[in-house]
Amino acid sequence: MKQKHFVKTCLFSALTMASAAAWQPASAVVIPEGVKLAAKQEITLNNSTEVTSVDPAKMGAEPAFNIGKDLFDGLVSQDDKGRIIPAIATHWEATDGNRTYTFHLRDDARWSNGDPITADDFVYSFRRLMAPATASPYGWFADIARIKNGSKVLAGEMAPENLGVEAVDKLTLRFTLDEPIPFFVKMLSHPVMFPVHQATVEKHGDAWTRPDNIVSNGPFKMQQWAVNEKMVLVKNDHYWNADEVVLEKVTFLPVSDPSVALKRYLAGEIDVLRKLPTAQLKRLRKEYPQELSKIAPSLQSTYYSLNTKEGPTADIRVRQALAYAINRSIITRAVTANGELPMYGLTPPQIDGFDPKIPAYASMTQQDREKEAKRLIKEAGYGPGKPLELKMVIPSYKDDQKVALALSNMWKSVLQAKVSVEKLEPKVFYATKKGYHIYRGGWVADYNEASTFLDIFSSDGNGPSQYLNAKYDDLLRKAKTGDNSSQRYQQAEAMLSYDFPLVPLYRPGYQDSLKKPYVGGYNFTNPEQNYYRRDVYIKAH
Amino acid sequence: MLSFMTKRLLVAVPTLLVIALVSFLLMHLAPGSPFGGEKDLPPEVLANIEAKFHLDKPVMEQFVIYIGNLLQGDFGPSFVYHDFTVTELIVQAWPVSLELGLWAFLLAVLLGGLIGTLAALKQNSRLDYILMSLAMSGVVIPNFVLAPLLMLVFAVQLGWLPAGGWNDGQWQNMILPVVALALSFVASIARIMRGSMIEVLHSPYIRTAKAKGLPQSYIVLRHALRPALMPLVAYLGPAFVGIVTGSMVIDVFFTTGGLGQHFVNGALNRDYGMVMGITMLIATLTILFNAVVDILYALIDPRIRHS
């Protein structure tokens, strides 16, 4: 289809820098030929829950990250396929074997109050992010990027001024890392790594994020924040790419119950609904086929951790048997039933720079797997005289209860195991690391690289499986900091598929969502589910 | 009356202190941490956060710090909403719950009082059975069933009213939450009113008034209503506090941004500051309105006033 690009100028300045240089085009809204835009460019979205903060250094969960991507802009951003594109930085170079990264900032970038954005803003923001006084819940994320002295600054052993980030000049920013991190640039598209306006933060303290005070640098700025009711953003005319932003107003609602959100969608009060109530999926597919929109498989993994140190699951044969005995197709088709895909490993296969090797048990038939599970459990000494008794713990979310019930029934039917399931209030569940054999687990990628998943089972991951494997740790360390990462990640994944400190279950497949027909440019194709309202427009309707 | 009020206020101070201490200890004894999540925070990150919220100090020291701040009118920081203090969140949310609650209270008292009185006057008649059946349905249909039903009918099907939101207190946004909030109170008030009105109507002095040939409306309004209100007033004091401090169900279904959701989410998220703040607010209001009820008793019943 012939497309009309609203981009007046794209960034194709040829760069021939040392090592990895970047010169991809920046983001731009793409409106198909013939589409008429509505006079009122406003959209209302459900953000699932109230955000804990819109301060990039204090964000701690997806709802905040989602809004953060509209309010702020980082050195780099992502396109609708999740590829890194320039944002405040027009281009960058990695030198010294990925130990030094130099970013060149655009000279037309402005804060929402008109102040220019300089390299000093980033230096201040990174130091603030890692300073103990900020108490950032996502400070650990910046530490994964291994910015020089980051760990010591975070632990209060060194002043933030010693952090490996410096302003070479007004528009040049340099990071020095403790270890070579090839995926460093990818991490910078995360909202936690976005800058804050120093003068505003210093003037207002914790109150700097209020609508009356906040100064941001994204495509939108905050107009109203009624906690637990709505947050209203309006277009930021000082945004460096404001000419390409079509929407004038974005309203986020914090509706946590999918059934309630659906009613508001049907009443015309929400324009895009990502999470649909499972029980109503069939009806919605039948009644609103023209409004259904598929969300591309995202980088998430649901699994159950097995205690490798205590109880029957300390025996590797029991862990293997538990993994083999599960019929994942039944779980994804009949229990979760929203397009999920069975998983036989921890890391979603579509993650960047990872070429997954399917574990042997994945290619067996379910019948053969169950046969093998029975053999293993018998070999481990369990049978009619000594039944396998297991204690499982899950958070009291409805979806988890359904999956746990299905799992315990499968283990009962194949292994004659007696599994007691304990449901705990989520905060109590998260604090429960001992006393059970099986724990519900799950993770959503923070960045598009296998270590975001595989790190969970490293020795310092401190998970309930208590999996300690020096070889695994070594592989991960080398994979994160050196070449040949894909092969090493593959080996690490293979270790998990042999030792089974976890039972992999499923990941999201193409999931149904609802989108009003007049919403354009809202593509659910980014694998990290990073959706940017700068790309969205409302068609005349 | 003045000495009575002074006494009540003096008793309130230690009562509030005990409530604060017990709530504080219970909150901190509850398992789970406000900062717990799918992935454990690294120890140094957790230490930074705990230091910020004084959680690295012994519980009693934390309590002393809390009370010190409280005496200066500061409920402290929210452990979950990092951009706000608890006082700011309450100041933002309570007016919403207060306005919703006041309308719901007014509706419940007027409608409940009227239904109860009519049912009592026509005791054991068809009208009595119909009205009390309706009242009973109000008791047995919880508002978490009623709220989505109202949304479905009036917002989704008929499109007459918004399904949610507050919009700075637009009347259209208020109708459904007010009705959902008021209905169970209407039912309770109607039942209490009916019972007490029947009792009063069987009193000898009402019989005397009837024997004198006074019209029924005069008897009810002049002689029966006031004593019949006595049991209702005892119920209305605590009910008023409950209705104006927000309802989790109403806030969740109608996304009004009221106080109820803060209280329940605060407990679930272990937001110690938020739970303490709302507990102290509700405790203060409960003590205050119990005193108001006592004063109302005295105003309604001269026997109490003279004793």
Side-chain angles (χ1 to χ4, degrees), chain A residues 13 17 24 42 75 84 97 118 123 137 181 225 231 255 291 324 328 348 405 420 509 514 528:
Chain A
S13 52
M17 298 293 186
Q24 299 92 329
E42 297 179 359
L75 289 165
I84 294 295
T118 65
V123 172
I181 300 290
W225 186 0
M231 187 188 288
V255 184
E291 294 180 33
Y324 286 20
R328 289 163 179 79
L405 185 67
S420 63
L514 284 171
E528 291 175 71

Side-chain angles (χ1 to χ4, degrees), chain A residues 51-54 132 135-137 140 154 209-210 226-230 260 264 269 425 427-428 430 433 440 442-443, chain B residues 32-34 36-42 45 48 80-83 88 92 162-164 166-167 253 255 262 268 270:
Chain A
V51 299
T52 51
S53 175
V54 294
S136 169
W140 59 269
L154 205 57
T209 50
R210 308 297 156 73
V227 176
N228 281 334
E229 188 208 347
K230 64 180 172 185
V260 176
R264 294 197 67 177
E269 294 171 17
E425 188 198 328
K427 284 289 179 187
V428 182
Y430 294 132
K433 302 287 173 199
R440 200 280 277 139
W443 192 242
Chain B
S33 149
E38 205 70 68
K39 193 173 184 175
D40 276 355
L41 292 174
V45 173
N48 292 340
V80 171
Y81 300 110
H82 302 298
D83 297 351
E88 287 165 337
Q92 199 180 103
W166 181 243
N167 277 334
F253 278 101
T255 328
H262 273 311
L268 292 175
R270 302 292 185 272

Side-chain angles (χ1 to χ4, degrees), chain B residues 162-246:
Chain B
W166 181 243
N167 277 334
D168 301 317
Q170 297 259 327
W171 66 267
Q172 295 95 330
N173 289 79
M174 262 193 245
I175 292 180
L176 295 185
V178 164
V179 171
L181 186 59
L183 205 73
S184 63
F185 287 96
V186 170
S188 304
I189 290 170
R191 289 173 65 230
I192 295 169
M193 193 65 192
R194 178 183 178 272
S196 73
M197 185 59 92
I198 287 172
E199 202 181 319
V200 171
L201 289 175
H202 284 97
S203 309
Y205 70 94
I206 297 290
R207 217 175 299 140
T208 311
K210 278 181 186 167
K212 279 182 173 178
L214 292 172
Q216 194 183 39
S217 57
Y218 183 83
I219 295 171
V220 171
L221 292 173
R222 181 74 183 85
H223 298 294
L225 192 60
R226 205 188 252 205
L229 281 174
M230 291 295 281
L232 191 60
V233 168
Y235 168 79
L236 289 182
F240 181 77
V241 177
I243 206 167
V244 298
T245 48

